[in-house]
Amino acid sequence: MVAPDDCPSQADYIKYFDDAIAVMQTESALERTAYELGIDSAAENIDYLEVRWAPRLHQRNGLSVSAVITAVLAGLDAAPLKAVAIVCAMRQDTPEDNVALAREAGRFAGRGVVGFDLAGDEVRYPASPQRPAFEAAHAAGLRLTCHAGEAGDPSSVEEALGLGVERIAHGVIGARDPRIVARIKSEGVVLDVCPTANWKCKAVPTLAEHPLPRLVRAGVRCTISTDSRTVADTTLSHEFELASAMGMSDEELERCNSIAYESKFG
């Protein structure tokens, strides 16, 4: 369940989610997993948690999308912190299926689901065809974010910006293009950066070369997160330790955490 340090690509890294997904195919398993994630996070002094996951990956035993979302929200509601959900569409799914997902997720707007996201293999599946799903999610009252900039070239980040998102998960490959960095900054889009996952996906060659310090000092609004605690084999505390090892000051780290509160969806 843990991706090795020498993953050759994002596509290879994603495969390590398969075993975890396989055992989360019942309502009780989904509720327990969400609850335990909340317990583990609270034990780390986290008081606000946004959980991203893809409901359509949990339908192997016949669960409806509504049942999947309901089970996860029940687990989060029972956890000892404020925890909300961001529903992820998958890039490999059809736009029609993702529009239906967005509309179903929108039924839970104001009841625990706060946002809509797109995840998956960036190289094989572009984001632009999924624009109708983002429009449906926005119309249903959900905030918008998108995974981009962890594989391929910087254009994937610009493609995500074209979907009307407020935040981008990762975005690090976009840091290679000054024009895209300038656009991210001017539009006030927040990058949710996950150093360990970025490195394991080979979006950055080494952690020492991660663009997070440079982006923060350029005025780009960034947060620090974990991606998957299990697959990345990390904690939020460890991600902050890695950012510190990159040369970021305590003030810069505090600013990232302040931005996380300022830009939260819940």
Side-chain angles (χ1 to χ4, degrees), residues 10 50 52-53 86 88-89 91 116-120 122 134 144-151 156-158 160-161 163 165-175 184 189-195 197-198 201 203 210 215 221-228 263 265:
Q10 181 206 39
E50 292 182 349
R52 305 177 189 230
W53 96 109
I86 296 175
C88 289
R91 288 172 178 260
F116 186 77
D117 189 11
L118 181 68
E122 292 181 51
F134 280 81
L144 304 181
T145 180
C146 183
H147 280 70
E150 206 175 31
S156 69
V157 176
E158 194 156 42
L161 291 171
L163 297 172
V165 299
E166 299 175 54
R167 288 162 39 193
I168 289 177
H170 310 304
V172 294
I173 288 178
I184 293 169
V189 171
V190 173
L191 300 185
D192 294 324
V193 178
C194 309
N198 300 156
C201 287
H210 199 288
L215 289 167
R221 301 174 73 217
C222 296
T223 73
I224 299 172
S225 195
T226 58
D227 198 71
S228 165
S263 60
F265 286 171

Side-chain angles (χ1 to χ4, degrees), residues 37 40-41 44 46 226-236:
L37 173 58
D40 291 346
S41 298
E44 204 184 340
I46 294 168
T226 58
D227 198 71
S228 165
R229 293 167 60 103
T230 300
V231 175
D233 190 23
T234 192
T235 63
L236 187 59

Side-chain angles (χ1 to χ4, degrees), residues 55 58-59 62-69:
H58 303 276
Q59 296 186 280
L63 290 179
S64 66
V65 166
S66 178
V68 171
I69 295 175

Side-chain angles (χ1 to χ4, degrees), residues 30-262:
L30 287 161
E31 182 174 347
R32 176 177 172 179
T33 303
Y35 174 62
E36 292 187 359
L37 173 58
I39 289 176
D40 291 346
S41 298
E44 204 184 340
N45 292 325
I46 294 168
D47 61 5
Y48 172 81
L49 181 69
E50 292 182 349
V51 179
R52 305 177 189 230
W53 96 109
R56 284 174 50 83
L57 297 179
H58 303 276
Q59 296 186 280
R60 297 176 190 174
N61 293 348
L63 290 179
S64 66
V65 166
S66 178
V68 171
I69 295 175
T70 299
V72 169
L73 293 180
L76 297 180
D77 285 345
L81 78 174
K82 181 176 181 179
V84 295
I86 296 175
V87 167
C88 289
M90 297 303 295
R91 288 172 178 260
Q92 68 266 26
D93 290 344
T94 67
E96 293 77 16
D97 283 341
N98 284 335
V99 166
L101 173 65
R103 289 173 176 161
E104 190 64 30
R107 292 181 56 243
F108 294 86
R111 297 192 292 131
V113 175
V114 296
F116 186 77
D117 189 11
L118 181 68
D121 187 338
E122 292 181 51
V123 174
R124 294 177 61 196
Y125 303 101
S128 294
Q130 305 294 346
R131 176 186 293 276
F134 280 81
E135 292 171 346
H138 179 68
L142 299 179
R143 310 278 288 274
L144 304 181
T145 180
C146 183
H147 280 70
E150 206 175 31
D153 59 53
S155 64
S156 69
V157 176
E158 194 156 42
E159 190 179 27
L161 291 171
L163 297 172
V165 299
E166 299 175 54
R167 288 162 39 193
I168 289 177
H170 310 304
V172 294
I173 288 178
R176 300 174 187 172
D177 187 330
R179 182 183 59 81
I180 293 176
V181 172
R183 181 177 172 189
I184 293 169
K185 180 180 176 181
S186 68
E187 295 183 11
V189 171
V190 173
L191 300 185
D192 294 324
V193 178
C194 309
T196 297
N198 300 156
W199 170 55
K200 286 192 172 186
C201 287
K202 298 302 175 281
V204 293
T206 66
L207 284 166
E209 298 172 82
H210 199 288
L212 176 59
R214 174 163 51 89
L215 289 167
V216 169
R217 290 162 194 165
V220 176
R221 301 174 73 217
C222 296
T223 73
I224 299 172
S225 195
T226 58
D227 198 71
S228 165
R229 293 167 60 103
T230 300
V231 175
D233 190 23
T234 192
T235 63
L236 187 59
S237 298
H238 183 57
E239 296 300 297
F240 271 84
E241 290 166 359
L242 292 174
S244 179
M246 295 172 198
M248 294 182 68
S249 67
D250 288 351
E251 291 76 17
E252 288 171 332
L253 297 177
E254 288 172 4
R255 177 59 183 150
C256 288
N257 211 36
S258 294
I259 289 169
Y261 279 98
E262 293 167 9

